[in-house]
Structure formats: C-alpha cells, structure tokens
Amino acid sequence: GVSACIVDVDAPELPVLDGSAAPWLDAINTVGLAPLDDEPAVAVSLSRPLAAPDETSDGWAIAMPASEPRLTVGIDFSSHEPIGRQWFTWTPDPETFGAEVAPARTFAVEEHLAPMRAAGLLRGGSLKHGLLCSKRRWINGGARDAMRPPHLSTAHAPPRQGPLRFPDEPCRHKLLDLLGDLALLGPLPLAHVIAYKASHRLHVRLAAAMLAQDGAGPHVDVAGGLRAAGHCHVPTPHPQNANNDA
C-alpha cells in the first residue's frame, strides 16, 4: 500500500466524494505505486492486551496481541431499524480491501443533521456523498444510489439491501474508519483490534496506548495526525449512539 505521499488540498478537509474509499483506491490504482528505498517501518507489537474505554458512553476498544493484524467492529443503532446491531471482522489484505471494505460509504442518522449543520459541518453535502437513515428507512433511493464501484463485482459482494452496497455497509464503513485511524501508527499493529460503538477519538486513544506500550515502535505524533485528519472537529454525538461520527 501507500506508505509515503504528499496530499495537497485547497480546503480544510479532503473531498468526501461518494463517502467511501473506493474513488481514492481507483485513483491510486490508476497511477500506480513506486517503491521506496527507505527501510520498511516496523509494526507495533503488544506484550499484553490493552483497553480504551469511552467515559461518555458504553463504547470501548481493545487490542490483543496477535501474529497478524485483524480488525473487528461492532455498532448499535437499535433505535434505527434499518441499521440495528452489526458486527464485521476483516483481516487486512490488499487483495480483498477493494471488494470488501473500500466501497462502504459514510452514513448519518436523520436527527443528527440539524446539529451538525449548526456546527458548520456538512455544507454542500447530499445523498450522493453518503447514506442517510431515519428511524424506519434509508432515505437514499434505490439502485441508482447504490451504484457499485467498477472493481466491486457481483461475485464478491453480498446481496444489496435497498440502497446499500452491502447489508452491513454501515459497520464496514466503521471498520474503514478504524483502519484509517490505526494507519497513523504506520504499518498496522500486530494485534486483533476490536472496537464497539467507538469514535475516531477512541480509536486514536487506543493507538496511542499501543504506541506507548511498544516502546520500540515508530515515533508518530498520533494526536497531531488526528488533528490533521480533522477528527478533533467531529462533534460528540448523543451517548446512545456514540459510534455515529461516521
């Protein structure tokens, strides 16, 4: 994957595009990658399990020592019938990322729109930039809104559910969030990371704890990376849905 690049933007944050990582992956695959002469970075490893609770909700994130990276994410939007409770597990693999994780789009629940817009967020946002859910239904339309990225073949994708690319698309996008936050460490840690109703802040708190325990790992400004990613400006949602900074 990409371990070194310069990102040049003329706005406070990157464009959301369709709310997934698929357009970025397509663009990177189009131009290709160039090898680096630098020594490969060493992945963080753990000597014992670590936990990062969320004092504002019942969310949590843990990391357990493992021989290879593995990510598991759980979400609970039981007050929103189309989402409900979901779990998704993925072993990071460049061969499956494009089909199983990258196309999953960001999402929001309808009642959070007004507070987010009042905070100056979502300006210019539309149903082309992600998924929107009410308590009873997905507000996005049908097949046209669920247009499948070119590399996501029918053979690799589960059956659609309404406008979704996957029945568990919200949970897969949360795993994409976790993957991006852990990338602040450099190579993904040798750990099974499990996050439940977790926010970006909680992901990064766990990443910082892993870095502190490892000691010999790369010197990364995790908090600085979080600020640069804009996550520090994500409003804290209602505790019942503390996992909704999608």
Side-chain angles (χ1 to χ4, degrees):
V2 178
S3 58
C5 68
I6 297 174
V7 179
D8 187 9
V9 295
D10 59 358
E13 59 183 357
L14 293 170
V16 68
L17 302 179
D18 73 346
S20 79
W24 298 102
L25 182 62
D26 289 341
I28 292 170
N29 287 337
T30 297
V31 299
L33 302 178
L36 295 175
D37 295 329
D38 300 341
E39 288 291 325
V42 178
V44 168
S45 59
L46 303 182
S47 59
R48 58 180 174 81
L50 292 173
D54 188 339
E55 296 82 1
T56 64
S57 76
D58 56 349
W60 48 264
I62 63 174
M64 298 179 291
S67 59
E68 63 178 0
R70 186 172 178 82
L71 307 178
T72 298
V73 169
I75 61 175
D76 184 358
F77 286 82
S78 53
S79 59
H80 291 73
E81 183 179 342
I83 304 175
R85 296 183 177 93
Q86 301 179 5
W87 285 91
F88 182 65
T89 297
W90 180 65
T91 299
D93 182 350
E95 297 300 320
T96 62
F97 176 70
E100 297 181 7
V101 178
R105 293 163 292 176
T106 189
F107 66 99
V109 294
E110 188 177 27
E111 60 268 29
H112 289 171
L113 287 185
M116 293 175 76
R117 285 175 172 158
L121 303 174
L122 298 182
R123 294 179 180 177
S126 74
L127 295 180
K128 296 180 181 179
H129 303 130
L131 297 165
L132 182 62
C133 189
S134 72
K135 291 183 181 294
R136 296 295 181 187
R137 67 182 182 89
W138 289 104
I139 296 175
N140 300 67
R144 186 174 66 176
D145 287 324
M147 290 178 64
R148 200 184 303 279
H151 58 269
L152 184 59
S153 68
T154 303
H156 290 96
R160 289 180 185 161
Q161 178 178 315
L164 303 186
R165 294 172 177 171
F166 309 91
D168 55 358
E169 185 171 358
C171 197
R172 291 180 188 234
H173 183 80
K174 288 295 184 180
L175 188 140
L176 181 62
D177 286 343
L178 174 61
L179 178 66
D181 292 334
L182 292 179
L184 294 170
L185 292 171
L188 290 176
L190 298 177
H192 184 183
V193 178
I194 307 174
Y196 175 67
K197 296 176 68 172
S199 63
H200 286 293
R201 292 182 180 87
L202 195 57
H203 295 164
V204 174
R205 185 182 302 173
L206 182 65
M210 286 191 281
L211 189 64
Q213 186 197 111
D214 178 77
H219 296 286
V220 179
D221 180 5
V222 176
L226 180 67
R227 287 191 295 272
H231 296 327
C232 285
H233 301 290
V234 176
T236 302
H238 191 280
Q240 180 183 359
N241 286 326
N243 50 349
N244 191 44
D245 55 346

PDB file of all heavy atoms in Angstrom, residues 207-234:
ATOM      1  N   ALA A 207      -4.690   3.641  19.794  1.00  0.00           N
ATOM      2  CA  ALA A 207      -3.449   3.641  19.018  1.00  0.00           C
ATOM      3  C   ALA A 207      -2.303   4.249  19.822  1.00  0.00           C
ATOM      4  O   ALA A 207      -1.175   3.737  19.809  1.00  0.00           O
ATOM      5  CB  ALA A 207      -3.649   4.412  17.716  1.00  0.00           C
ATOM      6  N   ALA A 208      -2.586   5.332  20.536  1.00  0.00           N
ATOM      7  CA  ALA A 208      -1.552   5.956  21.359  1.00  0.00           C
ATOM      8  C   ALA A 208      -1.104   5.023  22.477  1.00  0.00           C
ATOM      9  O   ALA A 208       0.090   4.953  22.805  1.00  0.00           O
ATOM     10  CB  ALA A 208      -2.073   7.275  21.936  1.00  0.00           C
ATOM     11  N   ALA A 209      -2.055   4.274  23.062  1.00  0.00           N
ATOM     12  CA  ALA A 209      -1.701   3.326  24.114  1.00  0.00           C
ATOM     13  C   ALA A 209      -0.834   2.202  23.571  1.00  0.00           C
ATOM     14  O   ALA A 209       0.117   1.755  24.220  1.00  0.00           O
ATOM     15  CB  ALA A 209      -2.970   2.756  24.751  1.00  0.00           C
ATOM     16  N   MET A 210      -1.134   1.741  22.354  1.00  0.00           N
ATOM     17  CA  MET A 210      -0.312   0.699  21.736  1.00  0.00           C
ATOM     18  C   MET A 210       1.095   1.205  21.466  1.00  0.00           C
ATOM     19  O   MET A 210       2.082   0.506  21.693  1.00  0.00           O
ATOM     20  CB  MET A 210      -0.965   0.209  20.448  1.00  0.00           C
ATOM     21  CG  MET A 210      -2.175  -0.665  20.661  1.00  0.00           C
ATOM     22  SD  MET A 210      -2.734  -1.495  19.140  1.00  0.00           S
ATOM     23  CE  MET A 210      -3.615  -0.152  18.354  1.00  0.00           C
ATOM     24  N   LEU A 211       1.186   2.430  20.995  1.00  0.00           N
ATOM     25  CA  LEU A 211       2.493   3.009  20.701  1.00  0.00           C
ATOM     26  C   LEU A 211       3.307   3.167  21.974  1.00  0.00           C
ATOM     27  O   LEU A 211       4.509   2.879  22.002  1.00  0.00           O
ATOM     28  CB  LEU A 211       2.309   4.359  20.012  1.00  0.00           C
ATOM     29  CG  LEU A 211       3.559   5.024  19.439  1.00  0.00           C
ATOM     30  CD1 LEU A 211       4.145   4.188  18.317  1.00  0.00           C
ATOM     31  CD2 LEU A 211       3.221   6.413  18.931  1.00  0.00           C
ATOM     32  N   ALA A 212       2.669   3.584  23.059  1.00  0.00           N
ATOM     33  CA  ALA A 212       3.370   3.771  24.328  1.00  0.00           C
ATOM     34  C   ALA A 212       3.854   2.449  24.892  1.00  0.00           C
ATOM     35  O   ALA A 212       4.960   2.361  25.437  1.00  0.00           O
ATOM     36  CB  ALA A 212       2.446   4.460  25.332  1.00  0.00           C
ATOM     37  N   GLN A 213       3.063   1.381  24.757  1.00  0.00           N
ATOM     38  CA  GLN A 213       3.485   0.082  25.281  1.00  0.00           C
ATOM     39  C   GLN A 213       4.605  -0.518  24.449  1.00  0.00           C
ATOM     40  O   GLN A 213       5.546  -1.102  24.979  1.00  0.00           O
ATOM     41  CB  GLN A 213       2.314  -0.908  25.312  1.00  0.00           C
ATOM     42  CG  GLN A 213       2.688  -2.222  25.981  1.00  0.00           C
ATOM     43  CD  GLN A 213       1.717  -3.342  25.666  1.00  0.00           C
ATOM     44  OE1 GLN A 213       2.050  -4.281  24.977  1.00  0.00           O
ATOM     45  NE2 GLN A 213       0.511  -3.235  26.190  1.00  0.00           N
ATOM     46  N   ASP A 214       4.516  -0.341  23.136  1.00  0.00           N
ATOM     47  CA  ASP A 214       5.507  -0.952  22.247  1.00  0.00           C
ATOM     48  C   ASP A 214       6.910  -0.430  22.528  1.00  0.00           C
ATOM     49  O   ASP A 214       7.865  -1.180  22.558  1.00  0.00           O
ATOM     50  CB  ASP A 214       5.113  -0.699  20.788  1.00  0.00           C
ATOM     51  CG  ASP A 214       6.109  -1.262  19.804  1.00  0.00           C
ATOM     52  OD1 ASP A 214       6.103  -2.485  19.584  1.00  0.00           O
ATOM     53  OD2 ASP A 214       6.913  -0.475  19.265  1.00  0.00           O
ATOM     54  N   GLY A 215       7.036   0.876  22.724  1.00  0.00           N
ATOM     55  CA  GLY A 215       8.341   1.450  23.055  1.00  0.00           C
ATOM     56  C   GLY A 215       9.280   1.532  21.875  1.00  0.00           C
ATOM     57  O   GLY A 215       9.848   2.575  21.597  1.00  0.00           O
ATOM     58  N   ALA A 216       9.449   0.434  21.168  1.00  0.00           N
ATOM     59  CA  ALA A 216      10.396   0.406  20.058  1.00  0.00           C
ATOM     60  C   ALA A 216       9.749   0.750  18.736  1.00  0.00           C
ATOM     61  O   ALA A 216      10.393   0.707  17.702  1.00  0.00           O
ATOM     62  CB  ALA A 216      11.029  -0.988  19.962  1.00  0.00           C
ATOM     63  N   GLY A 217       8.484   1.090  18.776  1.00  0.00           N
ATOM     64  CA  GLY A 217       7.765   1.374  17.548  1.00  0.00           C
ATOM     65  C   GLY A 217       8.156   2.714  16.946  1.00  0.00           C
ATOM     66  O   GLY A 217       8.976   3.452  17.494  1.00  0.00           O
ATOM     67  N   PRO A 218       7.579   3.049  15.789  1.00  0.00           N
ATOM     68  CA  PRO A 218       7.908   4.315  15.133  1.00  0.00           C
ATOM     69  C   PRO A 218       7.452   5.490  15.968  1.00  0.00           C
ATOM     70  O   PRO A 218       6.459   5.413  16.697  1.00  0.00           O
ATOM     71  CB  PRO A 218       7.120   4.233  13.812  1.00  0.00           C
ATOM     72  CG  PRO A 218       6.002   3.287  14.109  1.00  0.00           C
ATOM     73  CD  PRO A 218       6.546   2.291  15.087  1.00  0.00           C
ATOM     74  N   HIS A 219       8.170   6.584  15.893  1.00  0.00           N
ATOM     75  CA  HIS A 219       7.799   7.783  16.643  1.00  0.00           C
ATOM     76  C   HIS A 219       6.797   8.574  15.809  1.00  0.00           C
ATOM     77  O   HIS A 219       7.150   9.272  14.873  1.00  0.00           O
ATOM     78  CB  HIS A 219       9.045   8.628  16.945  1.00  0.00           C
ATOM     79  CG  HIS A 219      10.014   7.928  17.845  1.00  0.00           C
ATOM     80  ND1 HIS A 219       9.789   7.755  19.195  1.00  0.00           N
ATOM     81  CD2 HIS A 219      11.196   7.319  17.586  1.00  0.00           C
ATOM     82  CE1 HIS A 219      10.800   7.098  19.740  1.00  0.00           C
ATOM     83  NE2 HIS A 219      11.658   6.817  18.787  1.00  0.00           N
ATOM     84  N   VAL A 220       5.541   8.449  16.152  1.00  0.00           N
ATOM     85  CA  VAL A 220       4.462   9.051  15.386  1.00  0.00           C
ATOM     86  C   VAL A 220       3.671   9.985  16.288  1.00  0.00           C
ATOM     87  O   VAL A 220       3.339   9.629  17.417  1.00  0.00           O
ATOM     88  CB  VAL A 220       3.523   7.962  14.805  1.00  0.00           C
ATOM     89  CG1 VAL A 220       2.393   8.609  14.020  1.00  0.00           C
ATOM     90  CG2 VAL A 220       4.308   6.999  13.930  1.00  0.00           C
ATOM     91  N   ASP A 221       3.390  11.181  15.805  1.00  0.00           N
ATOM     92  CA  ASP A 221       2.550  12.117  16.545  1.00  0.00           C
ATOM     93  C   ASP A 221       1.097  11.748  16.272  1.00  0.00           C
ATOM     94  O   ASP A 221       0.454  12.283  15.372  1.00  0.00           O
ATOM     95  CB  ASP A 221       2.848  13.547  16.087  1.00  0.00           C
ATOM     96  CG  ASP A 221       2.001  14.578  16.831  1.00  0.00           C
ATOM     97  OD1 ASP A 221       1.267  14.181  17.764  1.00  0.00           O
ATOM     98  OD2 ASP A 221       2.084  15.754  16.467  1.00  0.00           O
ATOM     99  N   VAL A 222       0.582  10.789  17.050  1.00  0.00           N
ATOM    100  CA  VAL A 222      -0.764  10.293  16.802  1.00  0.00           C
ATOM    101  C   VAL A 222      -1.798  11.392  16.990  1.00  0.00           C
ATOM    102  O   VAL A 222      -2.698  11.573  16.173  1.00  0.00           O
ATOM    103  CB  VAL A 222      -1.070   9.090  17.721  1.00  0.00           C
ATOM    104  CG1 VAL A 222      -2.504   8.629  17.539  1.00  0.00           C
ATOM    105  CG2 VAL A 222      -0.109   7.949  17.414  1.00  0.00           C
ATOM    106  N   ALA A 223      -1.683  12.159  18.069  1.00  0.00           N
ATOM    107  CA  ALA A 223      -2.644  13.234  18.308  1.00  0.00           C
ATOM    108  C   ALA A 223      -2.565  14.283  17.203  1.00  0.00           C
ATOM    109  O   ALA A 223      -3.580  14.795  16.744  1.00  0.00           O
ATOM    110  CB  ALA A 223      -2.386  13.871  19.671  1.00  0.00           C
ATOM    111  N   GLY A 224      -1.354  14.594  16.773  1.00  0.00           N
ATOM    112  CA  GLY A 224      -1.199  15.549  15.684  1.00  0.00           C
ATOM    113  C   GLY A 224      -1.818  15.040  14.403  1.00  0.00           C
ATOM    114  O   GLY A 224      -2.437  15.790  13.646  1.00  0.00           O
ATOM    115  N   GLY A 225      -1.659  13.739  14.172  1.00  0.00           N
ATOM    116  CA  GLY A 225      -2.278  13.149  12.998  1.00  0.00           C
ATOM    117  C   GLY A 225      -3.784  13.226  13.060  1.00  0.00           C
ATOM    118  O   GLY A 225      -4.459  13.458  12.057  1.00  0.00           O
ATOM    119  N   LEU A 226      -4.342  13.053  14.236  1.00  0.00           N
ATOM    120  CA  LEU A 226      -5.786  13.161  14.412  1.00  0.00           C
ATOM    121  C   LEU A 226      -6.262  14.567  14.101  1.00  0.00           C
ATOM    122  O   LEU A 226      -7.248  14.767  13.401  1.00  0.00           O
ATOM    123  CB  LEU A 226      -6.162  12.780  15.834  1.00  0.00           C
ATOM    124  CG  LEU A 226      -7.641  12.848  16.189  1.00  0.00           C
ATOM    125  CD1 LEU A 226      -8.416  11.801  15.417  1.00  0.00           C
ATOM    126  CD2 LEU A 226      -7.850  12.663  17.674  1.00  0.00           C
ATOM    127  N   ARG A 227      -5.517  15.567  14.610  1.00  0.00           N
ATOM    128  CA  ARG A 227      -5.903  16.953  14.325  1.00  0.00           C
ATOM    129  C   ARG A 227      -5.805  17.238  12.838  1.00  0.00           C
ATOM    130  O   ARG A 227      -6.671  17.883  12.259  1.00  0.00           O
ATOM    131  CB  ARG A 227      -5.012  17.914  15.119  1.00  0.00           C
ATOM    132  CG  ARG A 227      -5.312  17.942  16.609  1.00  0.00           C
ATOM    133  CD  ARG A 227      -4.600  19.100  17.275  1.00  0.00           C
ATOM    134  NE  ARG A 227      -3.154  18.948  17.212  1.00  0.00           N
ATOM    135  CZ  ARG A 227      -2.439  18.299  18.113  1.00  0.00           C
ATOM    136  NH1 ARG A 227      -3.031  17.716  19.145  1.00  0.00           N
ATOM    137  NH2 ARG A 227      -1.124  18.211  18.002  1.00  0.00           N
ATOM    138  N   ALA A 228      -4.745  16.740  12.215  1.00  0.00           N
ATOM    139  CA  ALA A 228      -4.566  16.974  10.784  1.00  0.00           C
ATOM    140  C   ALA A 228      -5.673  16.312   9.977  1.00  0.00           C
ATOM    141  O   ALA A 228      -6.088  16.816   8.935  1.00  0.00           O
ATOM    142  CB  ALA A 228      -3.203  16.442  10.332  1.00  0.00           C
ATOM    143  N   ALA A 229      -6.171  15.177  10.486  1.00  0.00           N
ATOM    144  CA  ALA A 229      -7.243  14.476   9.789  1.00  0.00           C
ATOM    145  C   ALA A 229      -8.591  15.145   9.994  1.00  0.00           C
ATOM    146  O   ALA A 229      -9.569  14.777   9.357  1.00  0.00           O
ATOM    147  CB  ALA A 229      -7.305  13.023  10.258  1.00  0.00           C
ATOM    148  N   GLY A 230      -8.653  16.110  10.899  1.00  0.00           N
ATOM    149  CA  GLY A 230      -9.898  16.827  11.125  1.00  0.00           C
ATOM    150  C   GLY A 230     -10.822  16.159  12.115  1.00  0.00           C
ATOM    151  O   GLY A 230     -11.906  16.650  12.385  1.00  0.00           O
ATOM    152  N   HIS A 231     -10.402  15.009  12.693  1.00  0.00           N
ATOM    153  CA  HIS A 231     -11.306  14.277  13.571  1.00  0.00           C
ATOM    154  C   HIS A 231     -11.581  15.035  14.862  1.00  0.00           C
ATOM    155  O   HIS A 231     -12.596  14.795  15.500  1.00  0.00           O
ATOM    156  CB  HIS A 231     -10.734  12.901  13.897  1.00  0.00           C
ATOM    157  CG  HIS A 231     -10.604  12.018  12.688  1.00  0.00           C
ATOM    158  ND1 HIS A 231     -11.488  12.080  11.637  1.00  0.00           N
ATOM    159  CD2 HIS A 231      -9.690  11.066  12.369  1.00  0.00           C
ATOM    160  CE1 HIS A 231     -11.123  11.185  10.726  1.00  0.00           C
ATOM    161  NE2 HIS A 231     -10.054  10.573  11.142  1.00  0.00           N
ATOM    162  N   CYS A 232     -10.669  15.916  15.272  1.00  0.00           N
ATOM    163  CA  CYS A 232     -10.895  16.638  16.526  1.00  0.00           C
ATOM    164  C   CYS A 232     -12.059  17.616  16.401  1.00  0.00           C
ATOM    165  O   CYS A 232     -12.509  18.163  17.383  1.00  0.00           O
ATOM    166  CB  CYS A 232      -9.623  17.388  16.944  1.00  0.00           C
ATOM    167  SG  CYS A 232      -8.352  16.311  17.626  1.00  0.00           S
ATOM    168  N   HIS A 233     -12.528  17.853  15.191  1.00  0.00           N
ATOM    169  CA  HIS A 233     -13.639  18.777  14.995  1.00  0.00           C
ATOM    170  C   HIS A 233     -14.959  18.038  14.821  1.00  0.00           C
ATOM    171  O   HIS A 233     -15.977  18.654  14.576  1.00  0.00           O
ATOM    172  CB  HIS A 233     -13.374  19.660  13.773  1.00  0.00           C
ATOM    173  CG  HIS A 233     -12.117  20.454  13.894  1.00  0.00           C
ATOM    174  ND1 HIS A 233     -11.985  21.501  14.771  1.00  0.00           N
ATOM    175  CD2 HIS A 233     -10.923  20.331  13.278  1.00  0.00           C
ATOM    176  CE1 HIS A 233     -10.759  22.015  14.672  1.00  0.00           C
ATOM    177  NE2 HIS A 233     -10.106  21.309  13.786  1.00  0.00           N
ATOM    178  N   VAL A 234     -14.938  16.697  14.921  1.00  0.00           N
ATOM    179  CA  VAL A 234     -16.172  15.939  14.801  1.00  0.00           C
ATOM    180  C   VAL A 234     -16.975  16.124  16.077  1.00  0.00           C
ATOM    181  O   VAL A 234     -16.466  15.882  17.170  1.00  0.00           O
ATOM    182  CB  VAL A 234     -15.878  14.436  14.580  1.00  0.00           C
ATOM    183  CG1 VAL A 234     -17.171  13.643  14.547  1.00  0.00           C
ATOM    184  CG2 VAL A 234     -15.106  14.248  13.284  1.00  0.00           C
TER     185      VAL A 234
END
